[in-house]
Amino acid sequence: EGIMEPWKIRAQKVTCPVCDERDGQLMGRRNGHSVYRSKRCGSVFVFPIPHNTSYVYGEDYFHGAGGGFGYADYERDKQSQESTFVAYIRAIQERVKLDATLLDVGAANGYFVALANRYGMRARGVEISESASGEGRERGLDIRQGTIESMGDSGERYEVVTMWDVLEHVPSAHDALAAAHKLLNSDGVIAINTPDSGSVWARLWGVHWHLIVPPEHLVLFSRTGLRTALERAGFTVISMGAIGKSFSVPYVFSILASWSGIAVVRRFARVIERSWLASLSIPINLYDNVFVIAKKS
C-alpha cells in the first residue's frame, strides 16, 4: 500500500524525514520498498513513506504474526522483557515523582501500562490496534484506541510520555513527537526506545539489518537523527544510552525466519512454538537500540 513506481521515485529528490537532507543514499530494497540512508544524520528510511500502515496492525500482529510481522504471542514475548521495562521505569522515576501520570504510546494490550501501575505510576495507554486496545480494556486498563495525534487537545496533560519501539513505526515521527510535546506538562519528560541505525551492528549488516522491515518499520534513527527530531519538536535530551533486552526463544527464531527467508528456519520456528523451549528467554544486547529521556523545553 502506498508503494510508488521506481521511475516516479527517481523523478523526486529523496528527502530524509528526520533532517531534510535531499540526497539520500540508496541502500537497497526490502519487502518491495526502497531503503535509503541520510548522508547528513545517518538515519535509515523508506522512501516514499506509505501514508497509511494501519493494515499491518491487525489482530494477527499480536497473536500469530500471520502477516509476516509482529508477535507469535505478544503477552509471552513481553513477559520475557519485564526486566527491561523495569529498568525503563526506574530510569524515568529518577527524573519525575514516583506516582507521575504516564501515557504509553503504542501500548498494545497494556502490558507496560499494568507494570507501571504496579510500580506506583498512574498510567494509561493509546494503541492503534482495535483488537489489542480492546483486550487491554477487558483487563480493566485505560487503553484508548487510536494514535497519539488522535488524542487531540483534550486538555489532558501528563508528566511522562513513553514510546517503546514505536517511533520507527509511525509515518511522521515529527507529528508524533509534536503531539507528545503538547500532551506533556511544562516540565514533563518523554522516554523512547528505538532501533539505532548508526550502531556498529546496523552498519555491519547494511540493508540486511534485521530491523529493516518495511512497511512495519519506516524510519530507523541514528542517535544524531533522534536528537535532531527531538530538538525540532521542542525537547532537550538529558540522557541517551542502550539498555539490553531479553527475548523469548520463539520470537528470536521468528525474527531469524523473517530475516533469512529460509523455509526450514520458519518451520523450525513453528516447532519451537509448540515445544518447552517456548517458555525460555534469551538476554540479547547488540547495542543496536537507543534509550533516550528528553525534557520538554
Side-chain angles (χ1 to χ4, degrees), residues 124-180:
R124 65 165 49 123
V126 60
E127 165 58 42
I128 192 171
S129 167
E130 185 176 352
S131 61
S133 61
E135 186 178 323
R137 288 190 295 274
E138 287 174 3
R139 298 178 175 189
L141 299 170
D142 186 353
I143 310 293
R144 303 183 183 184
Q145 196 270 319
T147 64
I148 187 169
E149 295 92 336
S150 71
M151 298 289 285
D153 191 12
S154 61
E156 295 170 343
R157 294 293 180 267
Y158 301 89
E159 290 156 290
V160 184
V161 169
T162 56
M163 296 183 181
W164 308 136
D165 303 303
V166 167
L167 205 57
E168 63 271 22
H169 294 255
V170 301
S172 174
H174 175 77
D175 289 350
L177 293 174

Side-chain angles (χ1 to χ4, degrees), residues 91 95 227 230 236-241 290-295:
R95 308 286 179 177
R227 185 183 295 272
L230 284 163
T236 300
V237 173
I238 53 179
S239 69
M240 186 176 283
V290 56
F291 174 76
V292 62
I293 298 179
K295 189 171 184 177

Side-chain angles (χ1 to χ4, degrees), residues 1 11 17 42 52-53 69 104-105 115 118 135 171 173 202 208 218 244 246 251 253 287 297:
E1 181 172 326
N52 180 17
T53 58
F69 304 106
D104 185 36
V105 181
L115 189 64
R118 274 170 44 197
E135 186 178 323
H208 300 292
L218 302 173
S246 292
Y251 183 81
F253 275 90
Y287 294 93
S297 299

